[in-house]
Amino acid sequence: MIPIGAAVVVALLAAGAVSAVWYRVPDRLRSGIPCSDAEARFAAALGRDPLLTQPPPGVTPVSKPPAAEVYQPCEGNGSSSYYGGALRGFTMPSTDRGVAAARAYYRRLTVADGWTVTVRANGDILGTKTIDGTAVVCDVRDMRRADPVHHVRYTAYWIELRYRRLGSHRPMLQTPEDTT
């Protein structure tokens, strides 16, 4: 008979081995959504959209090189959520006038580019549009942030263009982060 302590240790080691193997399984196998060249091209095209490449004057990208992050539904986007799209962050001077100007700029740009736009109560912009037969959502959010550790206030925002998968006709109006 195996002592209870040894049995617990063996069980914990087995559970650790199973979880280590699970995390090594490629996202495309865990998601059940196959990666494809068409998905990659669609996500890359979203990364070149004017909303992500033409910020208003005085606004700079958060990261270098200044290019959008693109992803396919098969890759996973944290929290085991699988959707495709492109994301880019920007910083700007922390002034009320700068925030209002950026919101007005993106509101005009989305409407001019054919997006159906709503503005949420917090000022975030949400747009929907069908691109090449796929429902895409545009989300301009998080115009203000505060860093309580360093007692600094800054203004940054993120623009994400997202879709469920190619050919999906139902827009993905909320991100997983919105629902938690």
Side-chain angles (χ1 to χ4, degrees), residues 11-152:
L12 288 174
L13 289 173
V18 167
S19 91
V21 168
W22 176 251
Y23 283 113
R24 289 193 178 123
V25 172
D27 281 335
R28 63 185 159 71
L29 294 178
R30 285 192 277 166
S31 72
I33 301 170
C35 290
S36 72
D37 291 342
E39 291 275 5
R41 284 190 302 272
F42 189 74
L46 291 179
R48 294 185 299 272
D49 189 278
L51 290 169
L52 299 174
T53 61
Q54 298 174 10
V59 173
T60 58
V62 168
S63 62
K64 304 282 184 209
E69 174 187 348
V70 297
Y71 38 89
Q72 300 178 55
C74 64
E75 296 173 315
N77 301 318
S79 305
S80 295
S81 301
Y82 297 94
Y83 59 93
L87 173 71
R88 193 168 185 198
F90 297 92
T91 60
M92 62 190 339
S94 178
T95 66
D96 288 336
R97 203 165 117 195
V99 170
R103 284 188 174 130
Y105 174 85
Y106 283 106
R107 176 75 192 256
R108 282 191 308 273
L109 188 58
T110 53
V111 170
D113 199 25
W115 295 86
T116 300
V117 177
T118 59
V119 178
R120 295 177 176 167
N122 64 0
D124 291 352
I125 298 167
L126 182 68
T128 58
K129 178 178 174 180
T130 299
I131 300 174
D132 295 334
T134 299
V136 178
V137 172
C138 162
D139 201 355
V140 181
R141 64 184 184 276
D142 298 328
M143 288 286 196
R144 297 172 190 256
R145 287 281 189 224
D147 181 350
V149 174
H150 299 99
H151 306 288
V152 175

Side-chain angles (χ1 to χ4, degrees), residues 161-175:
L161 305 180
R162 63 181 176 274
Y163 66 100
R164 292 181 191 279
R165 26 185 336 186
L166 282 181
S168 174
H169 299 290
R170 201 174 74 192
M172 190 174 178
L173 295 179
Q174 293 183 323
T175 64

